[in-house]
Amino acid sequence: MKLVSWNVNGLRAALAKGFIESVNSFDADCICVQETKMQPEQMTHDLGNGYELFWNSAERRGYSGTATATRIRPAAVECGTFDNEGRILTLDLGPVYLVNVYSPNSQGELARLPYRLEWESRFRDYLKRLDAEKPVVVCGDLNVAHNEIDLANPATNHHSAGFSDEERDAFGQLLDCGFVDTFRLLHPDNRGAYSWWSYRMRARERNVGWRIDYFLVSRRLAPQVRAARIHPEIEGSDHCPVSLDLGI
């Protein structure tokens, strides 16, 4: 099973920048997209290649949202039930649950951190419930760099959204519940591997970035992880795609 995840920072904008050609080059079974910023009826393009597209759009138009394109017909589809921002989309693919997630940003001066931590707790409980039924694959923009190796400038970002002690601790709690960061499983010491760069000060060109896009799997799936990659060569967003190959 080959899976791709990408925060496109606006799907309509990404479609104008070669999104379909980029994702079809992966020939993936499922493509999980975050920050769609659109409603299903606004999608006027056909992805082709046999993909069926499922949506969880935010109530607020032009904001947040997730979508998953799949060539594996899901047994069931569930939208996250504890917010109205379209942040969670779960497909039952038979042997696994595939959870596409766009975690809330804690914003400047950590103004939204209390909401973020409450959301994290509820999301963790949700994943534990799914994991009790069958193995889970979680992918998306989790809006946190877990360790100092996961961003270019850790020393100056300890109080920044996405690298606060509280957010990093919440991510650690999720891993402690029985989930594995697949990229670090296969690349424990890989530095300079980032999935998001600011649009300012030529950050992407200089590779001054953060790794905040992930594939996590239930621990019992770890032996099935064949490859976990980041694809900075693919442009069209301030994030790049990440991918996972599973031997199932």
Side-chain angles (χ1 to χ4, degrees):
M1 183 181 290
K2 185 169 186 178
L3 309 169
V4 172
S5 176
W6 193 5
N7 179 324
V8 294
N9 194 7
L11 183 52
R12 282 173 291 180
L15 287 164
K17 299 175 184 176
F19 171 81
I20 293 176
E21 294 79 1
S22 293
V23 296
N24 282 340
S25 69
F26 285 104
D27 194 30
D29 296 295
C30 300
I31 301 163
C32 297
V33 178
Q34 303 87 44
E35 207 170 356
T36 57
K37 298 183 179 179
M38 64 187 291
Q39 305 297 315
E41 63 271 17
Q42 295 175 295
M43 182 65 173
T44 58
H45 293 68
D46 184 359
L47 297 182
N49 279 343
Y51 288 115
E52 186 173 7
L53 194 55
F54 297 90
W55 298 81
N56 186 12
S57 297
E59 289 184 9
R60 174 181 163 191
R61 297 180 73 86
Y63 178 72
S64 189
T66 50
T68 299
T70 177
R71 295 195 296 211
I72 304 170
R73 179 68 183 175
V77 178
E78 178 180 277
C79 296
T81 57
F82 51 86
D83 72 29
N84 60 3
E85 296 181 349
R87 294 189 177 276
I88 302 170
L89 181 58
T90 300
L91 273 58
D92 181 347
L93 297 182
V96 298
Y97 285 116
L98 175 61
V99 180
N100 178 2
V101 60
Y102 176 39
S103 299
N105 190 298
S106 294
Q107 300 183 347
E109 298 184 358
L110 303 179
R112 213 182 186 200
L113 181 60
Y115 173 78
R116 166 70 182 267
L117 296 178
E118 177 186 354
W119 190 95
E120 289 280 359
S121 177
R122 299 179 75 175
F123 183 54
R124 191 163 54 245
D125 288 343
Y126 175 71
L127 294 182
K128 287 164 64 176
R129 176 175 66 79
L130 294 180
D131 189 49
E133 298 176 13
K134 68 174 74 176
V136 179
V137 178
V138 184
C139 69
D141 177 1
L142 273 64
N143 256 319
V144 61
H146 186 208
N147 292 310
E148 292 194 351
I149 194 175
D150 295 314
L151 71 167
N153 294 316
T156 57
N157 280 293
H158 276 284
H159 301 288
S160 299
F163 198 59
S164 68
D165 291 344
E166 294 89 345
E167 291 165 296
R168 295 168 65 196
D169 179 67
F171 186 86
Q173 290 181 53
L174 178 56
L175 298 184
D176 290 343
C177 287
F179 292 91
V180 175
D181 175 351
T182 59
F183 185 80
R184 284 294 169 224
L185 175 69
L186 299 185
H187 312 283
D189 303 313
N190 192 329
R191 294 182 177 275
Y194 308 129
S195 63
W196 174 80
W197 303 262
S198 169
Y199 281 130
R200 296 177 296 176
M201 300 182 67
R202 299 173 28 250
R204 189 162 187 164
E205 179 183 340
R206 297 162 52 227
N207 198 30
V208 180
W210 299 48
R211 188 175 73 95
I212 58 176
D213 300 88
Y214 295 83
F215 271 99
L216 311 179
V217 298
S218 297
R219 190 170 292 135
R220 58 194 183 278
L221 278 180
Q224 307 305 319
V225 175
R226 301 289 182 257
R229 300 185 177 95
I230 302 174
H231 300 273
E233 73 281 2
I234 296 181
E235 300 184 352
S237 170
D238 51 350
H239 296 249
C240 72
V242 297
S243 66
L244 176 70
D245 290 355
L246 278 177
I248 59 173

